[in-house]
Amino acid sequence: MRVRRALLVALLLSAPLAHAQEDDLARARFFDHEGVRAFMENRFRDAMALFKESYFAGGPPTELWNVARCQLKLEDTAGAAETLATYLGKKNLAPDDRREAKRLLDEI
């Protein structure tokens, strides 16, 4: 009985955390979608802010790549280089993504 009660308590305590993570993921996806839209409309400052929001809401490291692309469009090469360095510091990047980021960083 104690084991079942402990399991029930653990499940109840983890439910809000799982719900919060789902909310964060939904927020990250929303910000990413809006960032893509702003980028396509050449609103690079807006897009950059939205991609940052997506990343901080739990979006993937590729949001940093998107931020760097916006910075380059805004001719902020120093900011783009810093963002790319942060991006390259992330683990589990796809090999092609890592290679492309290194190439772009070398160009800057």
Side-chain angles (χ1 to χ4, degrees):
M1 183 65 126
R2 283 187 161 180
V3 172
R4 287 179 26 196
R5 187 175 300 170
L7 182 58
L8 179 60
V9 168
L11 287 172
L12 289 173
L13 290 175
S14 67
L17 178 60
H19 185 65
Q21 289 172 337
E22 289 173 11
D23 287 348
D24 288 346
L25 183 56
R27 286 181 64 235
R29 286 182 177 153
F30 171 78
F31 288 129
D32 177 70
H33 177 59
E34 293 301 309
V36 169
R37 180 182 303 184
F39 190 89
M40 298 298 284
E41 294 172 355
N42 296 322
R43 296 183 297 116
F44 303 116
R45 286 194 195 290
D46 293 340
M48 182 172 59
L50 289 160
F51 291 137
K52 285 180 181 181
E53 284 295 323
S54 177
Y55 180 71
F56 292 127
T62 52
E63 297 298 353
L64 295 173
W65 172 262
N66 293 337
V67 170
R69 289 177 48 217
C70 292
Q71 290 168 316
L72 288 173
K73 292 287 188 176
L74 294 167
E75 299 180 6
D76 178 9
T77 54
E82 184 178 327
T83 301
L84 286 170
T86 301
Y87 175 67
L88 287 168
K90 301 298 177 187
K91 297 180 191 235
N92 301 327
L93 294 180
D96 288 342
D97 292 346
R98 186 174 298 281
R99 192 171 21 261
E100 181 64 18
K102 284 181 182 178
R103 183 196 62 74
L104 185 55
L105 186 58
D106 289 344
E107 279 181 20
I108 294 172

